[in-house]
Amino acid sequence: MHSRIILSAAVTASAVLTLTGLAAPASGTSAGRTDASVEGLWQMDGYGTAVAVSGRRMTTYDTTAVSCLPGSLKGEQQGRTGPDGSRRFLVHGGAVRVTVTPRKSGSARLHIASSTGTRILHRIAALPTACAKKPTADPRAVFDVFWQTYAENYPFFAAKHVDWEKVRDRFRPRLGKDTGDDELFAVLREMIEPLHDAHTGLSDGKEREYGGLRPDTPPHSPEDLARIDTAVGRAVGVPLRQYASGALSFARLPEGTGYLRITRFVGYTAEASYAKWEAELEAALASIPWRSLTGLVLDVRVNGGGADPLGLRVAARLTDRPYTAYSKYARNDPTDPTRFTQGQPITVRPHHGPRFDGPVAVLTGPLSVSAAETFTQALMARTPAPVRIGQNTQGVFSDTLERALPNGWTFSLPNEEFRTAEGTTFDGPGIPPHHRTPVFTEEELAQGHDSALKKARELLRRGSTG
């Protein structure tokens, strides 16, 4: 699950996690003994997370070299332990499901249902000593946790031309034990603003909020988005049928081309339940006449992101053979930002039912964010490859680490890369189009033009997506 720009109606997004794994002998067990229980403590490769399972309770801790704070997942076991030793936990009032399955080796795998890939866990004998200490809310301690979390997890300092050590040396002297919240928030914000990263954010839980953005991102107020919606409807020219609480819109154009607009990969139902979002998306996709289409325009020019697997479900309707969408890596060394976990190939598998394997055009722009970008990237390896039209996507792909500070504030940052088969990552500049056109510029909106959609329809009518 990603944190992202919210481009449509506000949605409370909860991740659905699945924890499966391999339990190894904990430190101090007898040689050769296999501990098949999920009881005990685990440390995650990358992510700075420890997991504790005790009786019918599961908790997590967010750790750095200078801190240990309670994580967001705290749950009670649901039902009985499975025959394989698995346990299911419900957290956040039941919106999040966590299943833990022991195996025989010394590692475990954590899979987030609303996220692609798995996370590797290793047994540990004890939590870091900082977990037993009450954190101080001294502004300098808050600064240290914030700085250290970025230092250990953020992968893109070099690409963003930011020297994080110099950032600490510049900003920490501005703080003292009596520094007020306004100044503290201003310092933390100034530290990450130069990253121009839409997956960085900071909140005091009240009126102070900050989210990063690439500098060329156009305005996207509710009024701006309403103008865009009106312009899209006018450019399509035929009635659009809406699904999934308005997140999906579809029309069959007069020439036989399908037009599918997706404005988010999250919040498809009033209830914050990933399982229900999946079901709602599948129902929407099942209603589309895939086999009757001569071509397909996919419009994610305004899409604030969400859950990557939902994008893969759409991609599954557009292929008749499995293929690798991308490989996912997480930064895995607190002192070396060039070291990552082993890449995990993420596969698109054909849907067992009506599909479309003809020519596709994808419309993108700087308001194509996060899961909209992993969706675009997943389609790049499709056969035949889609043609991309519009502008570069925003340039953020990672799931976000959601962290708390000792004073109760929260912040977020990315720690992953999504790479092509050639090892390319599009973090920063975003995925470029094949055909560059204006995207919802003031001139286009004022004149009633939609150059990207017009270009897509022309290419598909000619049978050319080159």
Side-chain angles (χ1 to χ4, degrees):
M1 178 69 70
H2 300 289
S3 176
R4 65 204 55 78
I5 308 170
I6 299 299
L7 300 176
S8 52
V11 177
T12 301
S14 296
V16 179
L17 309 182
T18 302
L19 181 61
T20 60
L22 310 172
S27 176
T29 57
S30 301
R33 171 188 163 192
T34 298
D35 184 357
S37 173
V38 299
E39 290 280 325
L41 304 172
W42 304 84
Q43 183 67 42
M44 193 180 297
D45 280 350
Y47 303 93
T49 299
V51 179
V53 178
S54 178
R56 298 182 67 85
R57 293 283 297 169
M58 187 202 73
T59 56
T60 57
Y61 300 85
D62 300 331
T63 64
T64 73
V66 301
S67 62
C68 176
L69 293 165
S72 60
L73 295 179
K74 294 182 180 181
E76 293 281 349
Q77 183 174 341
Q78 177 193 38
R80 303 173 64 179
T81 300
D84 58 353
S86 63
R87 304 184 196 178
R88 178 175 294 177
F89 300 88
L90 294 181
V91 304
H92 297 326
V96 178
R97 185 179 67 250
V98 178
T99 305
V100 187
T101 305
R103 298 292 173 88
K104 293 182 180 179
S105 73
S107 66
R109 296 184 183 274
L110 183 152
H111 168 63
I112 301 173
S114 60
S115 174
T116 56
T118 59
R119 302 179 185 187
I120 308 302
L121 304 176
H122 302 279
R123 279 201 182 275
I124 55 176
L127 293 171
T129 56
C131 297
K133 300 177 181 177
K134 182 178 180 180
T136 173
D138 183 299
R140 292 163 298 189
V142 172
F143 177 99
D144 290 342
V145 173
F146 187 81
W147 185 90
Q148 191 71 35
T149 303
Y150 270 84
E152 294 185 9
N153 294 284
Y154 192 75
F156 308 121
F157 289 123
K160 301 298 180 73
H161 307 291
V162 171
D163 186 325
W164 198 237
E165 298 283 341
K166 290 184 178 179
V167 169
R168 178 183 58 190
D169 295 344
R170 174 187 172 191
F171 285 99
R172 198 176 191 279
R174 286 174 52 177
L175 303 177
K177 65 178 182 179
D178 297 322
T179 299
D181 286 351
D182 287 343
E183 175 65 9
L184 177 59
F185 194 94
V187 164
L188 301 184
R189 172 175 177 159
E190 287 179 53
M191 290 168 66
I192 58 176
E193 275 184 316
L195 299 174
H196 299 300
D197 189 322
H199 274 170
T200 61
L202 176 66
S203 173
D204 72 348
K206 299 176 183 177
E207 72 278 3
R208 301 181 187 91
E209 295 279 344
Y210 169 73
L213 277 178
R214 205 173 67 201
D216 64 345
T217 304
H220 50 279
S221 68
E223 293 76 19
D224 296 320
L225 299 176
R227 288 184 71 197
I228 290 172
D229 289 346
T230 299
V232 166
R234 184 170 56 242
V236 171
V238 295
L240 282 161
R241 184 173 180 182
Q242 294 192 336
Y243 307 88
S245 299
L248 276 68
S249 302
F250 177 80
R252 191 177 188 277
L253 305 178
E255 65 269 24
T257 297
Y259 171 83
L260 178 59
R261 186 182 189 218
I262 307 174
T263 58
R264 62 182 184 270
F265 289 105
V266 67
Y268 293 162
T269 61
E271 182 179 349
S273 164
Y274 178 74
K276 291 191 175 182
W277 297 346
E278 282 185 319
E280 190 73 9
L281 176 62
E282 287 299 321
L285 297 176
S287 70
I288 294 174
W290 300 104
R291 291 172 176 164
S292 70
L293 303 179
T294 59
L296 179 65
V297 178
L298 286 168
D299 189 347
V300 290
R301 287 175 293 177
V302 177
N303 185 310
D308 297 324
L310 296 180
L312 296 181
R313 285 180 173 270
V314 179
R317 301 275 180 157
L318 305 176
T319 183
D320 60 0
R321 68 199 71 180
Y323 67 89
T324 299
Y326 41 73
S327 291
K328 188 172 180 177
Y329 300 75
R331 182 176 163 184
N332 195 31
D333 189 311
T335 63
D336 185 353
T338 68
R339 297 186 64 181
F340 287 79
T341 56
Q342 183 176 356
Q344 298 182 40
I346 306 302
T347 302
V348 175
R349 303 188 185 280
H351 172 73
H352 296 296
R355 302 185 301 262
F356 177 74
D357 56 10
V360 173
V362 183
L363 311 186
T364 66
L367 295 182
S368 306
V369 186
S370 194
E373 302 185 79
T374 66
F375 172 61
T376 301
Q377 186 172 355
L379 295 174
M380 291 170 65
R382 175 187 184 265
T383 302
V387 60
R388 300 186 303 276
I389 303 166
Q391 298 287 320
N392 286 47
T393 64
Q394 175 68 203
V396 290
F397 295 76
S398 173
D399 293 350
T400 54
L401 295 178
E402 305 295 333
R403 292 292 189 256
L405 290 167
N407 63 351
W409 294 359
T410 58
F411 68 105
S412 59
L413 69 157
N415 72 317
E416 301 169 335
E417 289 184 348
F418 286 56
R419 303 179 192 171
T420 66
E422 295 74 31
T424 301
T425 175
F426 299 100
D427 286 282
I431 299 174
H434 298 108
H435 299 271
R436 194 168 294 276
T437 71
V439 174
F440 302 131
T441 61
E442 183 60 38
E443 181 180 5
E444 290 251 310
L445 291 171
Q447 296 181 0
H449 294 167
D450 191 333
S451 298
L453 179 55
K454 180 180 179 182
K455 183 68 173 179
R457 294 176 73 170
E458 288 176 353
L459 291 172
L460 292 173
R461 271 196 298 262
R462 297 204 310 257
S464 170
T465 55

